[in-house]
Amino acid sequence: MYQMLSLFMKKPLLTLTFFTTILLFVVISLSPSSLFSQIPLNYAIVESDIWSSKRILEWRPCKWWLQGHLTALPAESNGYIRVDCYGGLNQMRRDLCDGVGVARLLNATLVLPKFEVAAYWNESSGFADVFDVDYFIEQLKGFINVVKELPAELAFKEPVRVDCSKRKGQFDYVESVLPSLLEHRYISITPAMSQRRDRFPLYAKAALCQACYSALRLTSVLEKKSNELLEAIPKPFLSLHLRFEPDMVAYSQCEYSGLSPASMKAIDAARGDRKPFTGETARVWRSRGKCPLTPNETTFILQSLLIPKNTNVYLAAGDGIMELEGLTSIYTNVVTKSSLLSGEDFKNMHGNTKAALDYYVSINSDEYVATYFGNMDKMVAAMRAYKGLYKTLFLNRKDFADFTSQGLKGKELMEALKKAHRDDFVMGRGSALPDCFCDFKL
């Protein structure tokens, strides 16, 4: 103690610096308006966003698909199968994937699929307008035989339509569909939506996985336009697949308060006979996560996850998103394909090919966030896992409904949402389809 006092007496400048530092620390610590006094004890001074969380699991392509020994294709085919695909681009892609697995299961030769898109997109673009046919055929060699044209005896015949709506697994198809294939030699199918791929033998599952994740490449024209769009987006960027269109909300049968009169009018026009749920039914429906997130709710969750407000956001969505100002008023760096691309070629694109642009950008984005878990989201998440891109997240509608029904608001709600989504992210939940991808502990 005496030595310290002597030191201070000999070096007055050191003494002044020391006591000034102590006094400054005390004043800052006791000040009610200081930064430190407002930070809870369990918080770090600088928090990191959700992508900084250390992952426990990752989904990667299963080795039995990429490295496994394939069962050799039989010398003789049982006939030809055409897969008829319906709906939007990614729903048709899902139908095609399943159809390839079924065709391989039944030892059939695959005919190029038929895209029945007119009713959904009001257009007529087919498989060859979106995907590279030659690449598709080449990538499936050894997995299944694919032909552009039928043999002469079948070339002018329409395939016999076989109903597969109730077929679930291997034996269903073998017992109910194979006899028609053997009899007619040329059939068309649309696999059941509730497909049990886990019941397929590995060689059929491998064909399915190869078709879905390795064999589908956009046409050169469409890939060029997609690259043009990708290059135009400021980097780095987050691709946000936001679903809050009038028909989407009407189909969900959910009721919303606080929407603009224009949004309510659009929803009412889209409802038709599909009336919204009310009372206890509405509460239970929402608690199951069945209600699309509004742009306002989406923005609140993104802020809860500490996604910076200056993030470059690519809005992977079609026209007609309602209440979009709820997003753009907070996240101001939002761009869309229509804002970045111009020219007659883009204006003449149909919904199907425009959806392909969103898909391409999303699988190549730095981060991907989806407000729904639809066909596009499943395909994008799987392809990102295939490419080794793991900054992928599905916003949890069920947790949001649960927390808000408990009365959580403001900071308390943000904390609950951050924890729930962080748990999902570190475990890789929902990141890939389990049929072709396996979890790896890190």
Side-chain angles (χ1 to χ4, degrees):
M1 184 69 177
Y2 177 79
Q3 290 178 337
M4 183 177 294
L5 289 173
S6 299
L7 179 63
F8 284 149
M9 290 177 68
K10 292 177 181 177
K11 297 186 178 181
L13 182 59
L14 177 62
T15 303
L16 180 61
T17 303
F18 176 81
F19 284 105
T20 300
T21 304
I22 294 296
L23 181 61
L24 183 61
F25 179 79
V26 171
V27 170
I28 291 176
S29 299
L30 296 179
S31 172
S33 60
S34 75
L35 175 64
F36 296 103
S37 67
Q38 295 177 18
I39 300 175
L41 292 176
N42 60 344
Y43 259 63
I45 292 177
V46 178
E47 289 188 274
S48 55
D49 63 29
I50 190 167
W51 310 120
S52 303
S53 304
K54 182 175 175 59
R55 295 171 65 87
I56 298 173
L57 290 176
E58 282 184 355
W59 290 82
R60 302 174 187 172
C62 297
K63 290 182 179 180
W64 56 258
W65 159 33
L66 296 181
Q67 303 172 7
H69 298 287
L70 296 174
T71 302
L73 292 172
E76 294 291 328
S77 168
N78 286 329
Y80 298 84
I81 288 181
R82 187 186 76 193
V83 184
D84 293 347
C85 309
Y86 297 85
L89 175 64
N90 292 288
Q91 180 178 335
M92 291 190 291
R93 180 172 176 166
R94 184 205 63 197
D95 288 344
L96 172 59
C97 297
D98 288 335
V100 170
V102 172
R104 178 65 183 92
L105 174 68
L106 301 181
N107 183 30
T109 300
L110 189 70
V111 180
L112 290 180
K114 182 179 181 182
F115 276 14
E116 296 280 5
V117 294
Y120 189 87
W121 287 120
N122 193 26
E123 63 164 298
S124 57
S125 57
F127 178 79
D129 296 308
V130 180
F131 296 111
D132 185 328
V133 171
D134 291 331
Y135 184 82
F136 180 72
I137 294 173
E138 181 65 28
Q139 289 297 306
L140 285 175
K141 282 185 177 179
F143 291 88
I144 188 171
N145 290 324
V146 186
V147 296
K148 294 181 181 179
E149 298 177 353
L150 290 161
E153 65 271 19
L154 298 173
F156 298 101
K157 292 184 178 180
E158 279 297 308
V160 174
R161 179 71 181 164
V162 179
D163 181 15
C164 295
S165 59
K166 297 181 180 179
R167 309 301 163 210
K168 305 295 182 183
Q170 174 180 358
F171 297 108
D172 281 341
Y173 285 105
V174 170
E175 292 174 2
S176 302
V177 180
L178 182 58
S180 295
L181 176 65
L182 293 171
E183 178 183 357
H184 302 288
R185 297 288 298 165
Y186 181 30
I187 65 173
S188 68
I189 64 169
T190 300
M193 290 185 65
S194 55
Q195 194 70 236
R196 289 301 304 271
R197 306 175 189 88
D198 57 316
R199 297 180 181 178
F200 284 11
L202 283 184
Y203 63 83
K205 286 177 67 176
L208 182 157
C209 298
Q210 183 72 4
C212 220
Y213 304 114
S214 294
L216 292 175
R217 184 174 73 181
L218 298 181
T219 64
S220 58
V221 173
L222 202 48
E223 191 166 87
K224 181 181 178 182
K225 182 58 64 176
S226 299
N227 270 316
E228 181 184 333
L229 175 58
L230 186 62
E231 288 297 317
I233 300 171
K235 310 295 189 302
F237 74 99
L238 179 152
S239 179
L240 176 64
H241 189 212
L242 177 61
R243 298 298 311 272
F244 201 69
E245 305 93 337
D247 58 341
M248 177 76 170
V249 176
Y251 183 80
S252 73
Q253 294 185 269
C254 296
E255 189 116 63
Y256 293 84
S257 60
L259 301 184
S260 69
S263 296
M264 294 303 298
K265 183 178 179 180
I267 295 169
D268 288 339
R271 284 201 194 278
D273 296 331
R274 189 181 290 271
K275 301 302 180 185
F277 294 124
T278 58
E280 181 63 13
T281 303
R283 188 197 67 77
V284 171
W285 190 245
R286 184 172 288 276
S287 71
R288 292 177 180 172
K290 300 295 185 180
C291 296
L293 293 168
T294 69
N296 269 320
E297 292 168 342
T298 299
T299 301
F300 185 88
I301 299 176
L302 292 178
Q303 289 181 281
S304 301
L305 304 179
L306 303 177
I307 303 298
K309 295 179 183 178
N310 63 351
T311 298
N312 296 312
V313 177
Y314 174 79
L315 189 61
D319 300 325
I321 299 292
M322 301 181 296
E323 308 288 317
L324 193 54
E325 63 278 3
L327 172 72
T328 55
S329 62
I330 302 297
Y331 290 90
T332 54
N333 298 333
V334 177
V335 296
T336 63
K337 52 186 172 292
S338 58
S339 70
L340 295 173
L341 294 178
S342 59
E344 287 302 312
D345 54 345
F346 174 71
K347 292 178 182 177
N348 293 330
M349 278 185 174
H350 298 294
N352 214 17
T353 46
K354 286 182 178 179
L357 297 181
D358 284 339
Y359 167 80
Y360 184 89
V361 168
S362 294
I363 65 172
N364 290 291
S365 61
D366 299 285
E367 302 156 1
Y368 179 73
V369 174
T371 65
Y372 210 69
F373 193 48
N375 291 308
M376 173 173 166
D377 307 310
K378 294 172 185 176
M379 289 295 178
V380 168
M383 280 304 299
R384 287 177 63 80
Y386 181 70
K387 291 163 64 73
L389 302 173
Y390 293 105
K391 290 185 178 181
T392 303
L393 188 69
F394 299 98
L395 300 190
N396 197 318
R397 303 183 308 280
K398 184 179 183 301
D399 281 346
F400 184 83
D402 285 344
F403 296 148
T404 52
S405 68
Q406 294 170 24
L408 300 187
K409 296 179 181 179
K411 186 175 181 180
E412 194 177 14
L413 177 57
M414 281 188 160
E415 285 296 319
L417 287 168
K418 182 173 67 175
K419 182 182 184 306
H421 284 86
R422 198 178 293 274
D423 290 346
D424 285 347
F425 177 69
V426 299
M427 293 299 294
R429 289 181 192 139
S431 294
L433 300 178
D435 309 292
C436 305
F437 293 80
C438 298
D439 58 315
F440 286 78
K441 292 184 179 180
L442 299 179

